[in-house]
């Protein structure tokens, strides 16, 4: 289980290689099966922003677009932006099958062809960890530009403090089986939000149980994973907060 990824990359030296990785991924087709990670992200968005009906929402680096599709089914007016044309074509088909409409834009999320102050909410998940700090700031400034005053920006990235994720990722990278290219876990997004002129309202880890899926990269840990799942479920809410989840959620607001 893994979030969709934006095709852009961290540095010029890796850019073409990384873009080719994502073009190959979307060329093979993707699953629109709803899963626990998708549910986690959708619920985080809805809990953070409240009702989305009639709100204009943009997903920057949309990949499959399946979460934006669910937002559209909740009554939002959604725009999907992605570098990969094949990803957008698959999203178009998924929206058509559910009889939903959206705007599909092929563009680099560092330069989105949209007017200033257009959207109530701009968001992405599993995107910014592929970029340098300088590029993170550039992206956040672009999202701030197209967000309405008083509007929200929500970013979810793999959290550097999440141990199961870090262990599984490190093992897969050493074994040559990590499929997601250059990916740098994030400790905080405070600096990019601040540099973009956004007020950071909330920043927290979510999704510890989802992080256990990364242990699947390591052979023979199936029983360990199930034991950890049961152990975590038995903790009370206060104790669970001591164990960071897979995703760092950062919520900011434009003044």
């Amino acid at each position: 289980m893994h979030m969709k990824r934006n095709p852009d990359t961290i540095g010029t030296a890796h850019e073409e290689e990384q873009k080719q990785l994502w073009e190959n991924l979307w060329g093979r087709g993707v699953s629109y099966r709803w899963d626990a990670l998708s549910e986690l992200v959708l619920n985080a968005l809805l809990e953070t922003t409240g009702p989305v009906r009639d709100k204009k929402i943009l997903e920057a680096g949309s990949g499959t677009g399946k979460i934006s599709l669910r937002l559209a089914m909740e009554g939002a007016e959604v725009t999907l932006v992605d570098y990969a044309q094949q990803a957008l074509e698959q999203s178009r088909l998924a929206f058509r099958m559910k009889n939903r409409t959206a705007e599909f834009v092929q563009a680099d999320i560092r330069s989105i062809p949209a007017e200033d102050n257009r959207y109530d909410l701009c968001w992405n998940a599993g995107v910014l960890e592929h970029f340098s700090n300088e590029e993170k700031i550039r992206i956040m400034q672009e999202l701030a530009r197209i967000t309405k005053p008083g509007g929200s920006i929500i970013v979810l990235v793999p959290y550097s403090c999440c141990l199961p994720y870090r262990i599984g990722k490190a093992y897969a990278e050493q074994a040559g089986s990590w499929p997601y290219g250059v990916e740098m876990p994030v400790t905080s997004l405070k600096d990019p939000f601040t540099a973009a002129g956004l007020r950071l309202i909330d920043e927290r880890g979510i999704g510890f149980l989802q992080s256990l899926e990364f242990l699947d990269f390591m052979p023979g840990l199936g029983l360990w994973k199930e034991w950890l799942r049961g152990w975590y479920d038995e903790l009370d809410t206060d104790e669970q907060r001591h164990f960071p989840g897979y995703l760092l959620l950062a919520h900011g607001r434009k003044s």
Side-chain angles (χ1 to χ4, degrees):
M1 179 192 306
H2 206 276
M3 294 305 299
K4 75 271 189 246
R5 293 292 184 253
N6 187 278
D8 299 302
T9 189
I10 292 171
T12 303
H14 300 284
E15 188 160 351
E16 290 305 318
E17 179 181 352
Q18 192 82 353
K19 287 180 178 178
Q20 189 59 51
L21 184 154
W22 302 121
E23 292 288 359
N24 292 341
L25 173 67
W26 299 125
R28 294 197 300 268
V30 295
S31 171
Y32 276 80
R33 180 179 63 87
W34 194 252
D35 54 32
L37 186 54
S38 301
E39 186 75 11
L40 176 74
V41 173
L42 176 65
N43 288 339
L45 292 172
L46 295 177
E47 290 168 5
T48 302
T49 64
V52 297
R53 179 167 296 279
D54 298 327
K55 288 184 178 179
K56 297 183 185 298
I57 298 177
L58 178 139
E59 182 180 3
S62 56
T64 67
K66 64 181 177 180
I67 295 171
S68 282
L69 176 56
R70 291 290 293 266
L71 293 173
M73 294 171 70
E74 293 282 337
E77 300 178 28
V78 301
T79 298
L80 288 75
V81 179
D82 202 281
Y83 176 87
Q85 182 62 33
Q86 290 172 316
L88 293 172
E89 289 300 327
Q90 294 188 59
S91 296
R92 282 193 180 96
L93 178 60
F95 272 71
R96 192 177 306 125
M97 291 177 65
K98 292 293 186 180
N99 197 29
R100 300 290 168 173
T101 60
E103 184 178 358
F104 301 91
V105 179
Q106 184 180 14
D108 188 317
I109 64 171
R110 294 168 289 194
S111 181
I112 299 173
E115 62 268 26
D116 296 355
N117 306 319
R118 178 178 180 183
Y119 295 97
D120 299 290
L121 167 66
C122 291
W123 74 280
N124 59 42
V127 175
L128 261 65
E129 68 272 17
H130 298 295
F131 293 87
S132 68
N133 289 332
E134 293 76 14
E135 292 291 82
K136 286 183 179 70
I137 292 172
R138 181 178 171 186
I139 292 166
M140 295 306 301
Q141 290 172 333
E142 185 69 351
L143 297 183
R145 177 185 68 81
I146 63 176
T147 301
K148 295 177 181 179
S152 290
I153 295 177
I154 298 174
V155 175
L156 299 103
V157 290
Y159 193 14
S160 65
C161 297
C162 179
L163 189 58
Y165 158 66
R166 295 296 300 274
I167 291 173
K169 177 177 181 290
Y171 181 93
E173 287 174 336
Q174 290 183 14
S177 58
W178 181 252
Y180 304 112
V182 179
E183 178 172 304
M184 297 188 298
V186 178
T187 302
S188 174
L189 288 169
K190 180 179 179 180
D191 288 346
F193 270 71
T194 301
L198 300 166
R199 180 166 59 93
L200 187 61
I201 297 171
D202 184 26
E203 189 172 55
R204 55 192 166 88
I206 62 173
F208 178 82
L209 291 177
Q210 286 74 17
S211 75
L212 299 180
E213 299 301 321
F214 288 91
L215 298 179
D216 288 344
F217 284 110
M218 305 174 69
L221 289 187
L223 290 177
W224 257 105
K225 188 174 77 170
E226 292 309 308
W227 184 89
L228 283 169
R229 186 181 302 276
W231 167 80
Y232 183 82
D233 283 338
E234 292 179 357
L235 299 177
D236 61 38
T237 303
D238 288 336
E239 287 182 303
Q240 288 179 350
R241 292 194 183 101
H242 294 297
F243 302 96
Y246 163 47
L247 293 174
L248 176 70
L249 181 151
H251 173 211
R253 185 160 292 152
K254 181 177 177 179
S255 300

